[in-house]
Amino acid sequence: MAAHEYHSKRSAGWWLRNPRYLMFQLREAGGVITALYGLILLNMLQQLSNGESAYTAFLSLMRTPPVLYVNVILFALVVWHAITWFMLIGKAQPIQFTERPLPWKLVFGINLLLWIGVSGAVVYLIFGGF
Amino acid sequence: MGGFITAFLFPITLFLLFFTAPFGLWPRDIAAYRTFTTLWQGPLVRLFFFVLIGGSLFHGTHRLKFMLVDAGLKGPGIQAVLDIILNAIAIFGSLGALYYALRGWLFF
């Protein structure tokens, strides 16, 4: 008897059926948006190399109200992606320093503290502090 | 790795570059031309942006591929095309970031 591949049937709106699925999709969307921001930052570097007027025009565009407020929403998704990433690390614990996995909330809290520390380092080492 | 890079480094970077000045949340405009060109002289800053852009592109395109597969774009042919296009975006974007990171430092 020949083997046939089973094609699971799932409706397009499966992620709307359940708040957990919605949170999952929002996290995935946040991940995709990081690629979009990667391209925006690349464009920013290109405009920087083109000179002051090109760079200032880019910055002005990013600060126009429609673009700015869309950015606020996209940024919220990026932050959600980061927070849920730390939760996943807590639950998956790909690197274990103890014999038994630690409680996920403890690992999540440690990652949040690391996040604050790394952000502070970025502020001072990359962006020159306050 | 891309996930770690985007989770730890992206929020603070985007916040400082795109939101502090318009909303008056920082004493100075970090993204202003004169300020940023001064920061850009540092090799650590150039390395930071290269890693940030490369990591985000590989991570984001990977996530996009699985979202599209979840949405129904299945089959070996379609996935091969997706792999080519999305990896090309990540690779060429990363090479572009490397070019701008080295430009004006190793070459003009």
Side-chain angles (χ1 to χ4, degrees), chain A residues 36-52:
Chain A
L36 175 64
Y37 271 120
L39 293 174
I40 290 173
L41 288 177
L42 184 61
N43 185 42
M44 179 176 145
L45 296 184
Q46 183 187 22
Q47 301 312 323
L48 186 71
S49 73
N50 288 341
E52 185 169 1

Side-chain angles (χ1 to χ4, degrees), chain A residues 16-77:
Chain A
L16 293 169
R17 289 203 315 255
N18 182 311
R20 287 176 173 234
Y21 297 166
L22 176 62
M23 294 297 108
F24 169 80
Q25 281 295 71
L26 288 177
R27 183 181 73 230
E28 295 295 289
V32 174
I33 287 161
T34 62
L36 175 64
Y37 271 120
L39 293 174
I40 290 173
L41 288 177
L42 184 61
N43 185 42
M44 179 176 145
L45 296 184
Q46 183 187 22
Q47 301 312 323
L48 186 71
S49 73
N50 288 341
E52 185 169 1
S53 59
Y55 180 82
T56 305
F58 163 83
L59 215 54
S60 299
L61 175 65
M62 293 299 288
R63 293 175 181 180
T64 56
V67 176
L68 181 62
Y69 293 122
V70 166
N71 264 323
V72 169
I73 296 167
L74 297 182
F75 178 68
L77 289 172

Side-chain angles (χ1 to χ4, degrees), chain A residues 92-104:
Chain A
Q93 295 188 35
I95 302 170
Q96 286 187 23
F97 298 102
T98 56
E99 194 177 321
R100 289 177 176 269
L102 297 170
W104 78 266

Side-chain angles (χ1 to χ4, degrees), chain B residues 22-102:
Chain B
F23 295 113
L25 300 172
W26 209 256
R28 59 197 175 99
D29 185 355
I30 286 177
Y33 180 76
R34 292 196 193 285
T35 308
F36 196 76
T37 44
T38 305
L39 292 171
W40 191 244
Q41 303 310 309
L44 184 62
V45 176
R46 291 169 180 256
L47 176 66
F48 175 81
F49 275 90
F50 165 63
V51 167
L52 195 64
I53 291 170
S56 66
L57 286 176
F58 276 99
H59 180 65
T61 52
H62 196 70
R63 297 263 61 85
L64 178 60
K65 177 190 159 186
F66 285 107
M67 279 190 86
L68 293 173
V69 168
D70 269 351
L73 282 176
K74 289 179 185 168
I78 292 174
Q79 292 195 26
V81 170
L82 276 180
D83 279 336
I84 290 169
I85 292 172
L86 295 176
N87 282 316
I89 291 171
I91 289 168
F92 286 109
S94 299
L95 287 174
L98 181 63
Y99 167 75
Y100 288 114
L102 295 177

Side-chain angles (χ1 to χ4, degrees), chain A residues 75-95:
Chain A
F75 178 68
L77 289 172
V78 168
V79 171
W80 174 249
H81 180 77
I83 290 172
T84 51
W85 184 266
F86 299 140
M87 287 179 179
L88 276 177
I89 295 301
K91 291 176 182 174
Q93 295 188 35
I95 302 170

